[in-house]
Amino acid sequence: MDTCISRLDYMVERLKEKGFRITPQRIAIVEILANSCDHPGVDQIYREVIKKFPTTSLATVYKTITLLKEIGEVMEMGFGDECNRYDGKNPHPHPHIMCVKCKSIADPDLSSLDEISRELNMETGYKIVSHRLDFFGVCPDCQKSSE
Amino acid sequence: MDTCISRLDYMVERLKEKGFRITPQRIAIVEILANSCDHPGVDQIYREVIKKFPTTSLATVYKTITLLKEIGEVMEMGFGDECNRYDGKNPHPHPHIMCVKCKSIADPDLSSLDEISRELNMETGYKIVSHRLDFFGVCPDCQKSSE
DNA sequence: TTGGCTGCAAATATTTTGCACTGGC
DNA sequence: GCCAGTGCAAAATATTTGCAGCCAA
């Protein structure tokens, strides 16, 4: 069942069933997105990929990410300032917390967001399709090192 | 008192007290940011400004917005996809709701966000300095017109 | 008067696109 | 073998910067 296959395998499966070809470059990119907990940016993914496939171009990274976004298996996190960051482990809206110093991003546990969406729907008449909730702060490590 | 002066006057005052010069272009840009409810983007501001001062350059608009961001009187809303949008009426974190069709942005009423921040602080050890909560949906008007 | 501000153009950064070649299926 | 995918370079987009002249204080 679904629960038995890895996120990597699941994403590759999704690509296949949508009729997209499975290339080594795509596997490498999907693998990075599926396995890294640090919500990598494009260039981080790129640097990682060229370790395995040195001729890979940045364009391919962009194209693959765009593809994965379109089939809903990667979520773009929209931090326009720096380059974008991506979540391939959990591509559905959920809260993030970013350290303003080291730029690390973690996934805190916070419930009751869906409830807020529903409340908002009733209140405003909008048909809510998505949301984002991001916190910005200083992580415990950076608080220590700045003393 | 503070409560008696307009947001425009307040922002101009803030620029003065920080030692920045008050130029006609700056007043025009601040006025747009202080008075428009539609959370304008850079080019919308630009097009508005050149109605009054046709020689104004895009660079000046960017510089002024950057300046206002730095003194905390304008909040950047970080919708990286399209160009950025800005809130000059209320530059402090508060929920937004954007229509994915017409790109309009409104300010819904939602309380209890500060509470969530505090909860998060305790839970994660981060020192929260800011947050953003944005909803994406289809506004009532666009729901009608797509039927 | 004078140094910050403006406006122009060039530079930068990021992402997208055109196209010939390659390789997954 | 066919055509989607790749890699390169060029283009498109958004924003920043350098600098000469100007004007708010």
Side-chain angles (χ1 to χ4, degrees):
Chain A
M1 293 293 104
D2 275 26
T3 52
C4 298
I5 67 171
S6 69
R7 173 94 189 119
L8 167 61
D9 292 337
Y10 175 74
M11 289 171 79
V12 171
E13 216 42 60
R14 285 297 313 274
L15 282 173
K16 267 190 205 164
E17 80 186 32
K18 294 268 178 180
F20 297 109
R21 291 188 181 166
I22 307 306
T23 66
Q25 294 91 332
R26 281 187 177 163
I27 294 179
I29 294 168
V30 168
E31 190 173 11
I32 293 163
L33 282 163
N35 293 335
S36 57
C37 297
D38 50 351
H39 307 79
V42 169
D43 60 307
Q44 189 179 340
I45 295 169
Y46 175 64
R47 282 194 303 264
E48 204 65 33
V49 175
I50 55 176
K51 287 180 189 170
K52 275 192 174 179
F53 302 94
T55 63
T56 306
S57 76
L58 203 46
T60 297
V61 177
Y62 276 108
K63 283 169 186 165
T64 303
I65 291 174
T66 302
L67 189 60
L68 292 167
K69 273 195 293 181
E70 277 166 2
I71 67 172
E73 292 306 323
V74 156
M75 182 174 55
E76 191 170 67
M77 302 176 56
F79 298 116
D81 337 0
E82 337 277 299
C83 51
N84 266 317
R85 303 281 286 266
Y86 298 90
D87 195 329
K89 278 188 117 74
N90 174 4
H92 306 292
H94 61 279
H96 289 104
I97 182 164
M98 177 191 246
C99 176
V100 295
K101 295 202 168 185
C102 68
K103 308 295 180 193
S104 66
I105 298 173
D107 293 0
D109 273 324
L110 267 187
S111 42
S112 78
L113 253 289
D114 293 337
E115 193 189 323
I116 292 182
S117 296
R118 242 174 290 123
E119 179 192 327
L120 202 65
N121 193 339
M122 301 232 294
E123 214 176 274
T124 63
Y126 278 62
K127 186 183 294 179
I128 311 290
V129 297
S130 180
H131 71 260
R132 68 178 182 191
L133 173 55
D134 303 313
F135 294 89
F136 305 94
V138 185
C139 70
D141 280 353
C142 287
Q143 285 177 51
K144 275 181 232 152
S145 55
S146 64
E147 272 163 18
Chain B
M1 294 291 103
D2 275 24
T3 53
C4 299
I5 67 172
S6 70
R7 173 98 188 116
L8 168 59
D9 292 337
Y10 175 75
M11 289 171 80
V12 170
E13 215 43 59
R14 285 295 313 273
L15 282 173
K16 269 191 203 162
E17 79 187 32
K18 294 267 179 181
F20 298 108
R21 290 189 180 165
I22 307 306
T23 65
Q25 292 92 331
R26 282 189 177 163
I27 294 178
I29 294 168
V30 168
E31 190 174 11
I32 293 163
L33 282 163
N35 293 335
S36 58
C37 297
D38 50 352
H39 309 77
V42 169
D43 59 307
Q44 188 178 341
I45 295 170
Y46 175 65
R47 280 194 302 266
E48 202 66 33
V49 174
I50 55 177
K51 286 180 188 169
K52 273 192 175 180
F53 302 96
T55 64
T56 306
S57 77
L58 204 44
T60 298
V61 177
Y62 276 109
K63 283 168 187 167
T64 302
I65 292 174
T66 301
L67 189 60
L68 292 167
K69 273 195 293 181
E70 277 167 2
I71 67 172
E73 293 305 324
V74 156
M75 182 175 57
E76 193 170 67
M77 301 176 57
F79 298 116
D81 338 359
E82 336 276 300
C83 52
N84 265 318
R85 303 280 287 263
Y86 298 90
D87 195 328
K89 278 187 117 74
N90 175 4
H92 307 294
H94 61 280
H96 289 104
I97 183 165
M98 177 192 246
C99 177
V100 295
K101 294 204 168 183
C102 67
K103 308 296 178 192
S104 65
I105 298 173
D107 294 0
D109 273 323
L110 268 187
S111 41
S112 79
L113 254 290
D114 293 337
E115 193 190 322
I116 292 183
S117 296
R118 242 174 289 123
E119 179 192 327
L120 203 65
N121 192 340
M122 302 229 295
E123 214 176 273
T124 63
Y126 278 62
K127 186 184 292 179
I128 311 289
V129 297
S130 180
H131 71 261
R132 68 178 182 189
L133 174 55
D134 303 312
F135 294 90
F136 305 94
V138 185
C139 70
D141 280 354
C142 287
Q143 285 178 52
K144 273 182 234 152
S145 56
S146 66
E147 273 164 17

